[in-house]
Every structure is written in C-alpha cells, then in structure tokens.
Amino acid sequence: MPSISARIPDEDEGRLEEVAELLGEDKSTVIRKALREGLSDLRIRLAVQQYQSGEISTNQAARVAGVSVAQWLEIAREHNLTSQLSPDDLATDAETAREL
C-alpha cells in the first residue's frame, strides 16, 4: 500500500483525533475511511452537476459517480434530477440499460 503524507490544519487534527476516539480506531484507519468516503461523495457530486446541466448521459453519470446504472438512477431520484438530454440521448440510455 503506498504511503502519502499531507499537512492538515490544527483544527482538523483535533477533529480527526475525536473521530478516531469515537470509533475506537487509529488515525490512519480513520483517514483512509474518510478519504474513501470523501472521494465517493465528490464523484457523485460531480456526476449530479454534469448530469443536471446535460453534459453527460445516464450511463456516463454512473461511470463518473463510480456506481451502477441502477444505483445512479436511485441517486438521481434522491436528488430530484431532471435530465437536460435530448430524446435520442434518453433512448440510447434506455437501450443500454435494457442490455444490462
């Protein structure tokens, strides 16, 4: 496993120590969990923004978010997303979903 070092503000170190204590885990484990969850959240947020603006299709949004199409559709529903895509784009997405 590669090692990466980073500088964090003092207040973040305090928060990290608090969370580590609450979870009963060491700081390295908490950092790995936070990074994994944070990266996942960032991918979903980016996919939501790009999908809502019509830049990407359902399939592309699922790829950007790092989830399956079915999971993406649930995320889109939770965010009350409406697509700005053309009928042709939607038809292509529907065909791809049927193939899955």
Side-chain angles (χ1 to χ4, degrees):
M1 176 181 330
S3 177
I4 297 174
S5 66
R7 298 187 193 288
I8 61 171
D10 292 338
E11 62 269 10
D12 287 345
E13 183 181 17
R15 290 184 193 129
L16 173 61
E17 289 173 356
E18 289 175 16
V19 172
E21 187 175 322
L22 287 169
L23 294 174
E25 296 177 341
D26 62 85
K27 290 191 294 186
S28 292
T29 300
V30 174
I31 289 169
R32 283 191 299 275
K33 285 181 178 181
L35 181 61
R36 189 171 28 256
E37 290 177 23
L39 291 173
S40 176
D41 289 348
L42 287 172
R43 289 181 72 145
I44 290 171
R45 186 173 23 193
L46 177 61
V48 165
Q49 290 169 351
Q50 290 180 338
Y51 183 78
Q52 184 63 44
S53 70
E55 295 173 52
I56 60 176
S57 69
T58 299
N59 291 322
Q60 291 167 322
R63 280 190 221 109
V64 169
V67 298
S68 70
V69 171
Q71 290 169 312
W72 170 252
L73 293 173
E74 180 63 25
I75 291 167
R77 186 189 62 76
E78 290 169 0
H79 286 85
N80 296 318
L81 295 180
T82 57
S83 176
Q84 306 299 321
L85 300 173
S86 71
D88 288 339
D89 292 332
L90 293 172
T92 300
D93 283 349
E95 182 61 33
T96 302
R98 280 193 285 277
E99 292 172 2
L100 298 175

